[in-house]
Amino acid sequence: MFPALETELKQETLPDPYEDFMYHHLQYYGYFKAQRGSLPNSATHQHVWKNNPRYLLSGSFGEREDVIPDPLQKEKLLWPTCLCSAVHRQLEAVSRGIRRPSRPENSNCFPGDSLMLGSSLLKSRQLLHDEFGEVNPCLREPRDLFAAFSSSGPLQAPRWPIECEVIKENLHHIEWVPPQPEYFYQPTGNEKLPEIVGEEKGTVVYQLDSVPTEGSYFTSSRVGGKRGIIRELAVTLQGPEDNTLLFESRFESGNLQKAVRVDTYEYELTLRTDLYTNKHTQWFYFRVQNTRKDATYRFTIVNLLKPKSLYTIGMKPLMYSQLDASTHNIGWRREGNEIRYYKNNRDDGRQLFYCLTWTIQFPHDQDTCFFAHFYPYTYTDLQCYLLSVANNPVQSQFCKLRTLCRSLAGNTVYLLTITNPARTPQEAAAKKAVVLSARVHPGESNGSWIMKGFLDFILSNSPDAQLLRDIFIFKVVPMLNPDGVIVGNYRCSLAGRDLNRHYKTILKESFPCIWYTRNMIKRLLEEREVLLYCDFHGHSRKNNIFLYGCNSNDRKYWLHERVFPLMLSKNAPDKFSFHSCNFKVQKCKEGTGRVVMWRMGILNSYTMESTFGGSTLGHKRDTHFTTEDLKSLGYHVCDTLLDFCDPDRTKFMQCLAELKELLQQEIHKKFNELGQDMDLEGSWSDISLSDIESR
C-alpha cells in the first residue's frame, strides 16, 4: 500500500480492486514491464525504475514512500482507487473475454453492486460509461498520457527531490512594463572591487547545508520536498534595531546557497550549483526582508563560473519590491549601481570563480524584496496560464493540452496542439506542422516569455492568428525541463546533464523529456511536413535576439534556411540581429535539438537566442529588454511565418537575392584579406559556405 494512504485504507472494509486490476492487466496496454519484487538490485537501476513516470502513479512497485505526496495532496495525483469488489470481478471477466451479465431492468449497475456504484465517490472515472450510465467494457487511456486540466480540479503541485527543503509560501509577482526605457549601466571607472573575505571574517546569516551536489544523484521526489519541519535558516533578529537582512531562496526557481554578512550593509552571496553537479552558477533568484530605506547595501555574488558576462557591458540586475507591487502596481525593474564583474581573488585550486557586485538602495523600510538574473517564470506560472487556456471555452476548442511525458521527478511535461478544426480529411492532411519549445535550459527564462507572447497571439481572435491555425498544426512544448525550473537550476535536469546535448539519446528513463519530444517529432514527420522547428533559449554574453541554424548541403535549397531569420530581422529590426545569427553545425553541437531535428529532415531548424540584457539596435539601442519586448518576439515569429509561407513568393525571393548578395560580399572580403583576386562570376555559388563564413 502507499504509506501515505496506509492508515486510511486499513480502516476500509473493502480491498483495493483498482490497484489489483491495474497490476494484473496493464500489460495489455504495453506499459507493464516487471512483476512485483523484481526491481533490479543496483542503485542505478532502482533510481531509474522508481522514478520512471510509468510507475509514479500506478503504485505497484518497490517502496513508494518517497514518490507519493503527503495525504493532503494525494487527490491531486492519484487515480481513483475505490472500486468495489463486484466491479473488480466484472473487470476480471471482461479482461478474459467473458461476457458480463445483463443488468437488472431500471438499474445502472451490475447485480450486487448497486450500492457501491450508486455512490459518486466510489464510481471509477477510469471506466468508460455510455449515456445511460452503463459500464462499457474498456479502460480509458492512462491519465498520465492523456492529460489536462479540469475547471473543477486542482493544479498538480510541483514535485521536488526529497533532499530539498521548500517553504510553504506561494510567491506571486505581478507583470509590469516600466513606463520609461531602462538604459544600460554606464561605468564611471570608480567602481569598487570588493576583496572576498568569506565566512572566516564575516557572519553566516543564511546557509543551505543539505543540497545534493556532485557525487550524489537523484533518487526520488515528493510534493513539498523534504519531509519534516522546515527549518528557519535566516538568523534570528535581536530586536527592532537589528538591521540584518533575512535571506530566503527555498521556493520555486530560487537558488541562493549562502549569505555572509561582511559589514553592516555588505553581503557576500554564494549561489547553489545545479543539483547533482558542481557547475553552472549563472542564474540567481532570492528574497531579502528587514530592509532599511536610507542605507546603501552592497551584494557580491562570489562563485560565478563564466569569464564573460553581459554585466561587463551594462546589464543591471532585476529587483522587485513587494510594497511597491501592492501599493503602486510596480513590478520587476532594473536596479543597481557600481556594477562590476571580475575575477575572484580566492582560488580553491580546482575552479576559477568570478564575482558580480552591485549596490542598491531599497525603496521602503521593512519591505520584502527579490533579486533575479532575469524575469522569473516558474512551473506554477506555466500551469496557471495553461489552466486559463483549458477553461476558456473558445481557446480550448483549438488548443488541446496533453501530457507529453513525466519528468524524472514526476512533473508533467505539457504538449499543446494548436490548430483550427479542418473541414475535410484532405484539408487536415495538407496542413504543415510547426514545432516550438522552450526551457530546456531552466535558467533561461527568456524563452518562457517569448513562448508566452507566441501563445497569447496564436490563441487570440486576430485574423492572422486564425489564418495560421487554418494552415498549420502547431506542436508546442512550453517547458521541456520542469524539474530544473522548479529547483532553480541554470542548465541541467535532475540527471545532472545538459538536456540540449542529449537529443540523440536512447535512454528514455534518464532523459524522458528529450526522448519523448524527439519521438513526437519523429511521428509527426511520418505523417506531414514539419516546416519549422525552433527552441527558445537565453544568451548570457551577447545582446539582441538571434537564431542559430544549419547549412543545407542540397543546392536546391541553398541559403533557404537563412530566409526565415532574415525576414524576422526585418519584422523586428529593433530587437533581432541577423548579423549575430550563425549557421554552422559544430561537432560539439550534434546533440542539440536544432541539429538533431535538422538531420531528421527539418530544413528550417533553429535555436532562438534572446539576450539577458537588451538591444543595441534602432530606437531601443542601449536599453534592457522588458517582458513585453520578449513577448513581442512571439508575435513576430507568427508574423514572419505568414511572410515565409505567403503564396506570393515575392518576399521570399527578395530575401534569397539579398542573401546571395551578402554572401558574395563576404567572399570578396575573404579573398581581399588573403590578398587574392578571383573572378567569381558563375562559380561563386559552388564554394562551400563553411569555407566562406568566418563566424
Side-chain angles (χ1 to χ4, degrees):
M1 292 297 169
F2 299 101
L5 306 179
E6 190 169 1
T7 303
E8 178 182 335
L9 292 182
K10 279 181 179 178
Q11 300 172 358
E12 295 284 347
T13 57
L14 297 173
D16 188 351
Y18 177 80
E19 182 179 348
D20 287 343
F21 173 76
M22 294 304 290
Y23 170 76
H24 286 299
H25 299 288
L26 266 181
Q27 64 264 41
Y28 293 106
Y29 285 77
Y31 303 115
F32 185 87
K33 298 294 183 185
Q35 300 298 320
R36 278 193 175 97
S38 64
L39 282 173
N41 291 326
S42 75
T44 302
H45 281 90
Q46 289 177 7
H47 152 65
V48 169
W49 282 66
K50 286 175 68 176
N51 296 283
N52 189 326
R54 288 194 298 266
Y55 305 127
L56 287 176
L57 298 183
S58 66
S60 299
F61 296 89
E63 296 180 7
R64 295 160 225 162
E65 180 178 15
D66 295 328
V67 294
I68 296 300
D70 57 73
L72 293 178
Q73 299 291 340
K74 67 179 183 293
E75 70 276 7
K76 298 183 181 181
L77 296 175
L78 297 178
W79 297 343
T81 58
C82 298
L83 288 177
C84 66
S85 56
V87 173
H88 182 208
R89 288 193 297 272
Q90 298 297 333
L91 290 173
E92 291 277 21
V94 168
S95 69
R96 294 194 299 269
I98 303 172
R99 185 175 180 179
R100 68 176 175 88
S102 59
R103 278 188 305 122
E105 201 170 344
N106 300 323
S107 173
N108 285 333
C109 52
F110 303 132
D113 65 2
S114 59
L115 175 63
M116 299 308 301
L117 280 185
S119 167
S120 60
L121 175 66
L122 298 178
K123 186 176 291 186
S124 171
R125 288 173 292 176
Q126 187 67 14
L127 297 176
L128 293 176
H129 295 73
D130 65 17
E131 59 184 324
F132 301 107
E134 292 189 23
V135 178
N136 192 330
C138 63
L139 290 174
R140 292 185 189 274
E141 196 171 0
R143 180 180 280 187
D144 67 333
L145 299 178
F146 186 79
F149 299 105
S150 162
S151 58
S152 59
L155 296 173
Q156 174 184 295
R159 298 180 65 85
W160 295 71
I162 58 169
E163 302 97 329
C164 295
E165 290 186 348
V166 186
I167 62 174
K168 304 303 181 185
E169 300 173 50
N170 293 321
L171 304 183
H172 172 70
H173 302 307
I174 64 170
E175 283 191 49
W176 175 72
V177 179
Q180 301 297 327
E182 296 181 304
Y183 285 94
F184 293 160
Y185 175 71
Q186 299 298 320
T188 64
N190 298 319
E191 288 81 10
K192 177 183 176 183
L193 273 64
E195 181 177 347
I196 308 306
V197 300
E199 57 188 86
E200 297 86 357
K201 298 181 181 179
T203 303
V204 176
V205 295
Y206 178 84
Q207 181 164 3
L208 292 174
D209 56 10
S210 61
V211 176
T213 56
E214 187 181 32
S216 57
Y217 56 88
F218 173 75
T219 57
S220 52
S221 68
R222 65 185 295 271
V223 171
K226 192 173 184 179
R227 293 184 183 275
I229 298 173
I230 302 300
R231 296 172 300 158
E232 182 59 59
L233 297 186
V235 293
T236 302
L237 298 178
Q238 301 304 307
E241 301 303 317
D242 190 341
N243 57 9
T244 306
L245 288 179
L246 304 178
F247 290 82
E248 185 57 83
S249 68
R250 292 171 296 173
F251 45 77
E252 271 193 85
S253 298
N255 73 333
L256 181 66
Q257 171 81 45
K258 181 168 64 173
V260 178
R261 191 183 193 188
V262 296
D263 204 344
T264 306
Y265 298 110
E266 188 168 345
Y267 295 84
E268 291 177 2
L269 310 177
T270 301
L271 303 182
R272 196 213 68 222
T273 60
D274 282 9
L275 294 191
Y276 314 108
T277 78
N278 65 350
K279 297 182 291 184
H280 309 301
T281 49
Q282 185 73 26
W283 165 262
F284 61 86
Y285 178 31
F286 59 90
R287 184 183 78 186
V288 295
Q289 293 176 308
N290 196 37
T291 62
R292 297 295 187 270
K293 179 180 179 180
D294 297 325
T296 298
Y297 291 82
R298 177 178 291 278
F299 296 105
T300 305
I301 298 174
V302 301
N303 66 329
L304 297 167
L305 287 171
K306 291 191 176 183
K308 295 182 180 180
S309 171
L310 286 165
Y311 290 109
T312 63
I313 53 175
M315 178 172 155
K316 292 183 177 182
L318 281 159
M319 189 194 78
Y320 184 96
S321 161
Q322 210 151 279
L323 282 176
D324 276 347
S326 60
T327 58
H328 305 296
N329 205 38
I330 295 174
W332 287 100
R333 58 194 193 251
R334 299 284 180 172
E335 294 285 357
N337 286 297
E338 297 189 49
I339 301 170
R340 288 293 300 269
Y341 191 92
Y342 60 100
K343 187 184 296 185
N344 191 325
N345 62 289
R346 306 191 72 174
D347 186 2
D348 68 354
R350 296 177 301 168
Q351 192 86 52
L352 187 61
F353 292 114
Y354 295 84
C355 299
L356 168 66
T357 189
W358 74 95
T359 61
I360 193 76
Q361 289 186 319
F362 291 110
H364 305 285
D365 286 326
Q366 301 298 331
D367 196 1
T368 295
C369 293
F370 296 83
F371 289 95
H373 182 57
F374 202 72
Y375 302 97
Y377 192 96
T378 65
Y379 183 62
T380 296
D381 290 334
L382 173 67
Q383 289 195 305
C384 290
Y385 183 86
L386 296 182
L387 182 62
S388 70
V389 173
N391 290 337
N392 185 302
V394 176
Q395 293 176 340
S396 59
Q397 295 302 306
F398 50 76
C399 177
K400 303 303 180 185
L401 277 61
R402 296 291 182 265
T403 296
L404 177 68
C405 64
R406 302 279 180 178
S407 66
L408 278 181
N411 292 298
T412 301
V413 180
Y414 296 101
L415 172 65
L416 283 64
T417 301
I418 304 169
T419 190
N420 283 339
R423 289 167 291 186
T424 65
Q426 293 76 19
E427 182 182 302
K431 288 188 177 186
K432 296 180 181 180
V434 172
V435 180
L436 302 175
S437 59
R439 297 302 284 279
V440 68
H441 292 151
E444 297 171 4
S445 58
N446 335 41
S448 283
W449 290 105
I450 294 179
M451 179 64 76
K452 187 176 188 301
F454 164 78
L455 291 173
D456 283 346
F457 180 77
I458 201 66
L459 298 176
S460 71
N461 59 2
S462 160
D464 283 352
Q466 294 179 37
L467 177 59
L468 284 167
R469 297 195 300 266
D470 283 338
I471 60 180
F472 290 114
I473 294 176
F474 293 91
K475 293 286 187 178
V476 180
V477 186
M479 193 169 283
L480 276 163
N481 189 353
D483 294 349
V485 172
I486 288 167
V487 302
N489 280 3
Y490 174 58
R491 200 165 184 85
C492 295
S493 72
L494 294 183
R497 295 291 185 271
D498 180 348
L499 293 182
N500 201 37
R501 298 296 183 271
H502 287 84
Y503 271 89
K504 296 194 293 185
T505 186
I506 61 172
L507 303 176
K508 177 168 61 174
E509 288 81 6
S510 297
F511 306 104
C513 312
I514 297 307
W515 191 94
Y516 279 98
T517 298
R518 186 190 66 198
N519 202 46
M520 178 269 292
I521 297 173
K522 181 181 178 181
R523 294 198 309 270
L524 193 62
L525 282 165
E526 292 171 354
E527 66 181 43
R528 67 186 71 247
E529 178 185 347
V530 177
L531 180 73
L532 180 138
Y533 164 88
C534 190
D535 189 24
F536 299 153
H537 285 246
H539 205 283
S540 64
R541 299 184 305 278
K542 293 167 67 174
N543 279 309
N544 306 311
I545 300 172
F546 46 94
L547 289 175
Y548 291 152
C550 304
N551 273 328
S552 174
N553 296 321
D554 188 343
R555 290 291 164 173
K556 179 181 178 183
Y557 300 110
W558 201 58
L559 297 178
H560 280 210
E561 69 281 344
R562 302 169 189 231
V563 173
F564 185 85
L566 183 60
M567 285 183 169
L568 189 52
S569 71
K570 295 178 183 299
N571 288 331
D574 298 322
K575 307 180 187 76
F576 190 91
S577 169
F578 181 76
H579 177 73
S580 297
C581 294
N582 191 303
F583 300 92
K584 281 190 175 181
V585 179
Q586 299 166 288
K587 187 175 181 180
C588 64
K589 300 297 179 67
E590 283 288 339
T592 62
R594 161 178 62 100
V595 176
V596 170
M597 302 312 161
W598 175 65
R599 296 206 183 281
M600 286 169 57
I602 304 175
L603 176 66
N604 302 293
S605 182
Y606 306 107
T607 297
M608 179 176 284
E609 298 281 356
S610 57
T611 181
F612 288 107
S615 174
T616 63
L617 307 170
H619 79 278
K620 293 195 71 66
R621 184 180 182 89
D622 296 332
T623 64
H624 290 88
F625 281 148
T626 66
T627 56
E628 203 61 34
D629 290 323
L630 295 180
K631 288 193 292 184
S632 74
L633 251 293
Y635 158 73
H636 289 306
V637 167
C638 295
D639 192 30
T640 305
L641 267 175
L642 288 174
D643 290 338
F644 190 68
C645 298
D646 194 333
D648 180 353
R649 305 299 284 164
T650 302
K651 286 185 180 179
F652 188 96
M653 299 311 296
Q654 284 177 347
C655 286
L656 205 56
E658 185 176 336
L659 286 167
K660 290 179 180 178
E661 176 64 26
L662 288 172
L663 198 59
Q664 194 167 18
Q665 293 174 11
E666 186 76 17
I667 295 171
H668 280 292
K669 180 181 176 183
K670 279 285 185 184
F671 279 101
N672 288 336
E673 289 174 355
L674 295 172
Q676 300 178 9
D677 293 322
M678 183 175 180
D679 181 11
L680 299 174
E681 288 299 323
S683 62
W684 68 272
S685 61
D686 294 328
I687 301 175
S688 169
L689 291 178
S690 60
D691 292 336
I692 297 169
E693 295 184 316
S694 58
R695 293 194 306 277

